[in-house]
Amino acid sequence: MPFCNIGLIIIDEEHDVSYKQTDPAPRYQARDASMVLSKLFKANVLLGSATPSLESYYNAQQGKYEICKLESRFGDSVLPEMIPVSMKEASQFGKLKGFFTQQLLDAIKVQLELKKALHKLQDKIKCHICGSQKPSPTRCPEYGQSTLRILGFGTEKIEEELHIFFPEIVIKRLDLDIARSRKIQQNIIESFQEKEIDILVGTQMITKGLDFDHVGLVGILQADQILMYPDFRAQERAFQLFTQVSGRAGRRKDRGLVLIQGYNIYHPVIQQVIQHDHQSFYQSELFERKKFKYPPYVRLIKIQILHLKIQVLEDGIEWMAKELRNTYGKRIIGPAEPHLSRIKGSYVRELLIKIEKDSGFIHQVKSDILRLSQELKSKQGFGSLRIQIDVDP
């Protein structure tokens, strides 16, 4: 923004992944950009979060940032009681009803009797990557059999199941499909605050700073799912998400209850969340990052290449990997097939480069990547490759 004479920049919930711009370019981290902006004006920056990012926590430990701890909750409200619930045991003893353990269903019933709240509209298949949608098929497109069943784990399915267990109560969901506009989001949030909604089903959207004074119970379903996501930040994001959403419970005079459902409830991150042990989490996570050379100990650059033809793509990225490896050796990881291996008809492959935290060296790597990208696209047959470069992905 074209600001001038800035004295203070406040980044609230500085850990939030939405500060990172991923697509389209420029792919920047707004939190880090604020640091650059502050230097231009000699301004102060205040980063606020109950679950700081590993990078910010590390910078505070190194003395680059000053740290100010708030040891008590607003209004002297107490932290919620947090209980792990084993889906494995519930399944073994016949106490798993769809997505819900009997323990969670009983807890919901108790809260509904206390008059407290708890944290299928289109029959279509919709892609959240490209936005395309089509009617749900009734027959298998390959063999023509009419034995298709809708499976999966989404807010709409959860809402449907809850209506089966609690047909008389008001249930709403808050996700990207529902809350496409700010006005719709606001209407749902206000209805929940006014107790017109008994149960609010949501995605990570409902963890972001919402402050309700009557939430008695928060249920986290399938906690393992986010912990096992193929990303080096998976455990950090799980810790942040579980801690943030648990903070929605019991924010006033009454203590809230949080039930965390999972198959591996003894996972260290789940135990650290339950014990409110931030220190142990940060120490263990930093140890892992240092051991395997990941941020905040190194810088990363991700090179993603896309093409409609798989062979052209693989030939192109193999050439890029070979050229980079000639100079940077074991710092080059890949090429590999990413989690989303096809986007809008194009196949995707990616390279990852780990770089020591040396500004001069990083500048050289960036220059080499740009040079090689131009050289690759100038080769016959590779001009239609799409090359995307993301620094600090």
CSV table of all heavy atoms in Angstrom, one decimal, residues 333-358:
chain,number,residue,atom,x,y,z
A,333,ILE,N,16.2,-31.1,-4.0
A,333,ILE,CA,15.3,-32.2,-3.7
A,333,ILE,C,14.2,-32.4,-4.8
A,333,ILE,O,13.5,-31.5,-5.1
A,333,ILE,CB,14.6,-32.0,-2.3
A,333,ILE,CG1,15.7,-31.8,-1.2
A,333,ILE,CG2,13.7,-33.2,-2.0
A,333,ILE,CD1,15.1,-31.4,0.1
A,334,GLY,N,14.1,-33.6,-5.3
A,334,GLY,CA,13.2,-33.9,-6.4
A,334,GLY,C,13.9,-34.1,-7.7
A,334,GLY,O,15.1,-34.3,-7.7
A,335,PRO,N,13.1,-34.1,-8.8
A,335,PRO,CA,11.7,-33.7,-8.9
A,335,PRO,C,10.8,-34.7,-8.3
A,335,PRO,O,11.1,-35.9,-8.2
A,335,PRO,CB,11.5,-33.5,-10.4
A,335,PRO,CG,12.6,-34.4,-11.0
A,335,PRO,CD,13.7,-34.4,-10.1
A,336,ALA,N,9.6,-34.2,-7.9
A,336,ALA,CA,8.6,-35.1,-7.3
A,336,ALA,C,7.2,-34.7,-7.8
A,336,ALA,O,7.0,-33.6,-8.3
A,336,ALA,CB,8.7,-34.9,-5.8
A,337,GLU,N,6.3,-35.6,-7.6
A,337,GLU,CA,4.9,-35.4,-7.9
A,337,GLU,C,4.2,-34.8,-6.6
A,337,GLU,O,4.2,-35.4,-5.6
A,337,GLU,CB,4.2,-36.7,-8.3
A,337,GLU,CG,2.8,-36.5,-8.7
A,337,GLU,CD,2.2,-37.9,-9.2
A,337,GLU,OE1,2.9,-38.7,-9.7
A,337,GLU,OE2,0.9,-38.0,-9.0
A,338,PRO,N,3.7,-33.6,-6.7
A,338,PRO,CA,3.1,-33.0,-5.5
A,338,PRO,C,1.7,-33.6,-5.1
A,338,PRO,O,1.2,-34.4,-5.9
A,338,PRO,CB,2.9,-31.5,-5.9
A,338,PRO,CG,2.7,-31.5,-7.4
A,338,PRO,CD,3.6,-32.7,-7.9
A,339,HIS,N,1.2,-33.1,-4.0
A,339,HIS,CA,-0.1,-33.6,-3.5
A,339,HIS,C,-1.2,-33.4,-4.5
A,339,HIS,O,-2.0,-34.3,-4.8
A,339,HIS,CB,-0.4,-32.9,-2.2
A,339,HIS,CG,-1.6,-33.4,-1.5
A,339,HIS,ND1,-1.8,-34.7,-1.1
A,339,HIS,CD2,-2.8,-32.8,-1.2
A,339,HIS,CE1,-3.0,-34.9,-0.6
A,339,HIS,NE2,-3.6,-33.7,-0.6
A,340,LEU,N,-1.2,-32.2,-5.1
A,340,LEU,CA,-2.1,-31.9,-6.2
A,340,LEU,C,-1.3,-32.0,-7.5
A,340,LEU,O,-0.6,-31.1,-7.9
A,340,LEU,CB,-2.7,-30.5,-6.1
A,340,LEU,CG,-3.7,-30.3,-5.0
A,340,LEU,CD1,-4.1,-28.8,-4.9
A,340,LEU,CD2,-5.0,-31.1,-5.3
A,341,SER,N,-1.4,-33.2,-8.1
A,341,SER,CA,-0.5,-33.5,-9.3
A,341,SER,C,-1.1,-33.1,-10.6
A,341,SER,O,-0.4,-33.2,-11.7
A,341,SER,CB,-0.2,-35.0,-9.3
A,341,SER,OG,-1.3,-35.8,-9.4
A,342,ARG,N,-2.3,-32.6,-10.6
A,342,ARG,CA,-2.9,-32.1,-11.9
A,342,ARG,C,-3.9,-31.0,-11.6
A,342,ARG,O,-4.7,-31.1,-10.7
A,342,ARG,CB,-3.6,-33.3,-12.6
A,342,ARG,CG,-3.9,-33.0,-14.0
A,342,ARG,CD,-4.4,-34.2,-14.7
A,342,ARG,NE,-4.5,-34.0,-16.2
A,342,ARG,CZ,-5.1,-34.9,-17.0
A,342,ARG,NH1,-5.6,-36.0,-16.6
A,342,ARG,NH2,-5.2,-34.6,-18.3
A,343,ILE,N,-3.7,-29.9,-12.2
A,343,ILE,CA,-4.5,-28.7,-12.0
A,343,ILE,C,-5.0,-28.1,-13.3
A,343,ILE,O,-4.2,-27.8,-14.2
A,343,ILE,CB,-3.6,-27.6,-11.3
A,343,ILE,CG1,-3.1,-28.1,-9.9
A,343,ILE,CG2,-4.5,-26.3,-11.1
A,343,ILE,CD1,-2.2,-27.1,-9.2
A,344,LYS,N,-6.3,-28.1,-13.4
A,344,LYS,CA,-6.9,-27.5,-14.7
A,344,LYS,C,-6.4,-28.2,-15.9
A,344,LYS,O,-6.1,-27.5,-16.9
A,344,LYS,CB,-6.7,-26.0,-14.7
A,344,LYS,CG,-7.4,-25.2,-13.6
A,344,LYS,CD,-7.2,-23.7,-13.8
A,344,LYS,CE,-7.9,-23.0,-12.6
A,344,LYS,NZ,-7.7,-21.5,-12.7
A,345,GLY,N,-6.3,-29.5,-15.9
A,345,GLY,CA,-5.8,-30.3,-17.0
A,345,GLY,C,-4.3,-30.4,-17.2
A,345,GLY,O,-3.8,-31.2,-18.0
A,346,SER,N,-3.6,-29.6,-16.5
A,346,SER,CA,-2.1,-29.6,-16.6
A,346,SER,C,-1.5,-30.5,-15.5
A,346,SER,O,-1.9,-30.5,-14.4
A,346,SER,CB,-1.5,-28.2,-16.4
A,346,SER,OG,-1.9,-27.4,-17.5
A,347,TYR,N,-0.5,-31.3,-15.9
A,347,TYR,CA,0.3,-32.1,-15.0
A,347,TYR,C,1.3,-31.2,-14.2
A,347,TYR,O,1.7,-30.2,-14.8
A,347,TYR,CB,1.0,-33.2,-15.7
A,347,TYR,CG,0.1,-34.2,-16.3
A,347,TYR,CD1,-0.3,-34.1,-17.6
A,347,TYR,CD2,-0.4,-35.3,-15.5
A,347,TYR,CE1,-1.2,-35.1,-18.2
A,347,TYR,CE2,-1.3,-36.2,-16.1
A,347,TYR,CZ,-1.7,-36.1,-17.4
A,347,TYR,OH,-2.5,-37.0,-18.0
A,348,VAL,N,1.6,-31.6,-13.0
A,348,VAL,CA,2.5,-30.7,-12.2
A,348,VAL,C,3.6,-31.6,-11.6
A,348,VAL,O,3.4,-32.7,-11.1
A,348,VAL,CB,1.7,-30.1,-11.0
A,348,VAL,CG1,2.6,-29.1,-10.2
A,348,VAL,CG2,0.4,-29.5,-11.5
A,349,ARG,N,4.8,-31.0,-11.6
A,349,ARG,CA,6.0,-31.6,-10.9
A,349,ARG,C,6.7,-30.4,-10.2
A,349,ARG,O,6.6,-29.3,-10.7
A,349,ARG,CB,6.9,-32.3,-11.9
A,349,ARG,CG,6.3,-33.6,-12.5
A,349,ARG,CD,6.0,-34.7,-11.5
A,349,ARG,NE,5.5,-35.9,-12.2
A,349,ARG,CZ,4.2,-36.1,-12.4
A,349,ARG,NH1,3.3,-35.2,-12.0
A,349,ARG,NH2,3.9,-37.2,-12.9
A,350,GLU,N,7.5,-30.8,-9.2
A,350,GLU,CA,8.1,-29.7,-8.5
A,350,GLU,C,9.5,-30.1,-8.0
A,350,GLU,O,9.8,-31.3,-7.7
A,350,GLU,CB,7.3,-29.1,-7.3
A,350,GLU,CG,7.0,-30.1,-6.3
A,350,GLU,CD,6.0,-29.6,-5.2
A,350,GLU,OE1,5.1,-28.7,-5.6
A,350,GLU,OE2,6.1,-30.0,-4.1
A,351,LEU,N,10.3,-29.1,-7.8
A,351,LEU,CA,11.7,-29.2,-7.2
A,351,LEU,C,11.7,-28.3,-5.9
A,351,LEU,O,11.0,-27.3,-5.9
A,351,LEU,CB,12.7,-28.7,-8.1
A,351,LEU,CG,13.1,-29.5,-9.4
A,351,LEU,CD1,14.0,-28.7,-10.3
A,351,LEU,CD2,13.8,-30.8,-9.0
A,352,LEU,N,12.5,-28.7,-5.0
A,352,LEU,CA,12.6,-27.9,-3.7
A,352,LEU,C,14.1,-27.7,-3.5
A,352,LEU,O,14.9,-28.6,-3.7
A,352,LEU,CB,12.1,-28.7,-2.5
A,352,LEU,CG,11.8,-27.9,-1.3
A,352,LEU,CD1,10.7,-26.8,-1.5
A,352,LEU,CD2,11.4,-28.8,-0.1
A,353,ILE,N,14.5,-26.5,-3.2
A,353,ILE,CA,15.9,-26.1,-3.0
A,353,ILE,C,16.1,-25.6,-1.6
A,353,ILE,O,15.4,-24.7,-1.1
A,353,ILE,CB,16.4,-25.0,-4.0
A,353,ILE,CG1,16.1,-25.4,-5.4
A,353,ILE,CG2,17.9,-24.8,-3.8
A,353,ILE,CD1,16.4,-24.4,-6.4
A,354,LYS,N,17.0,-26.3,-0.8
A,354,LYS,CA,17.3,-25.8,0.5
A,354,LYS,C,18.6,-25.0,0.5
A,354,LYS,O,19.6,-25.5,0.0
A,354,LYS,CB,17.5,-27.0,1.5
A,354,LYS,CG,16.2,-27.8,1.7
A,354,LYS,CD,16.4,-29.0,2.7
A,354,LYS,CE,15.2,-29.8,2.9
A,354,LYS,NZ,15.4,-30.9,3.9
A,355,ILE,N,18.5,-23.8,1.1
A,355,ILE,CA,19.6,-22.9,1.0
A,355,ILE,C,20.0,-22.4,2.4
A,355,ILE,O,19.1,-22.0,3.2
A,355,ILE,CB,19.2,-21.7,0.1
A,355,ILE,CG1,18.6,-22.1,-1.2
A,355,ILE,CG2,20.4,-20.8,-0.2
A,355,ILE,CD1,17.8,-21.1,-1.9
A,356,GLU,N,21.3,-22.3,2.6
A,356,GLU,CA,21.8,-21.7,3.8
A,356,GLU,C,21.3,-20.3,3.9
A,356,GLU,O,21.1,-19.6,2.9
A,356,GLU,CB,23.3,-21.8,3.9
A,356,GLU,CG,23.9,-23.2,3.9
A,356,GLU,CD,24.2,-23.7,2.5
A,356,GLU,OE1,23.4,-23.4,1.6
A,356,GLU,OE2,25.1,-24.5,2.4
A,357,LYS,N,21.2,-19.8,5.2
A,357,LYS,CA,20.7,-18.4,5.4
A,357,LYS,C,21.8,-17.4,5.2
A,357,LYS,O,22.3,-16.9,6.2
A,357,LYS,CB,20.0,-18.3,6.8
A,357,LYS,CG,18.8,-19.2,6.9
A,357,LYS,CD,18.1,-19.0,8.3
A,357,LYS,CE,17.2,-17.8,8.2
A,357,LYS,NZ,16.3,-17.7,9.4
A,358,ASP,N,22.1,-17.2,3.9
A,358,ASP,CA,23.2,-16.2,3.6
A,358,ASP,C,22.6,-15.4,2.4
A,358,ASP,O,22.3,-15.9,1.3
A,358,ASP,CB,24.4,-17.0,3.1
A,358,ASP,CG,25.6,-16.1,2.7
A,358,ASP,OD1,25.4,-15.3,1.8
A,358,ASP,OD2,26.6,-16.1,3.4
